[in-house]
Amino acid sequence: MKIPYDATLIVCGPLIMIYFCCLDLVKAGVKHEGIYISLEGHMKCEIDKSGHCNICHKYVCRDGLIFTYAEKKE
Ligand code: FES
């Protein structure tokens, strides 16, 4: 399947699935800024207390549930 370079895509699910799905989308030629990832499954307390949702110096519960792949690719 051919995906346009300027497509906007949203990926959600388990973290490992998001990771491999994003790798495949990048390999298919989709730009990093066009891939949005939903990380709500990574939260625990949802009130900025446990630190469970910390990914790359950002808290999913505090900083937002949706990030671009360009923000989180590391
Ligand atoms: S879910 Fe607990 S700190 Fe974000």
Side-chain angles (χ1 to χ4, degrees):
M1 179 172 70
K2 178 94 172 121
I3 302 172
Y5 172 77
D6 60 348
T8 299
L9 302 154
I10 301 169
V11 181
C12 60
L15 208 50
I16 191 71
M17 190 193 82
I18 290 172
Y19 174 76
F20 284 108
C21 188
C22 288
L23 288 181
D24 283 347
L25 290 171
V26 169
K27 213 183 295 179
V30 177
K31 63 181 177 181
H32 294 185
E33 295 77 17
I35 303 170
Y36 288 84
I37 56 176
S38 175
L39 297 174
E40 80 279 356
H42 207 58
M43 294 194 307
K44 191 168 188 178
C45 67
E46 300 179 7
I47 54 172
D48 196 13
K49 293 288 183 202
S50 70
H52 187 263
C53 66
N54 185 338
I55 301 175
C56 302
H57 311 296
K58 287 199 175 184
Y59 289 84
V60 175
C61 66
R62 184 184 65 202
D63 300 320
L65 302 172
I66 309 293
F67 299 89
T68 65
Y69 178 67
E71 287 177 289
K72 292 293 180 197
K73 64 184 171 190
E74 67 277 348

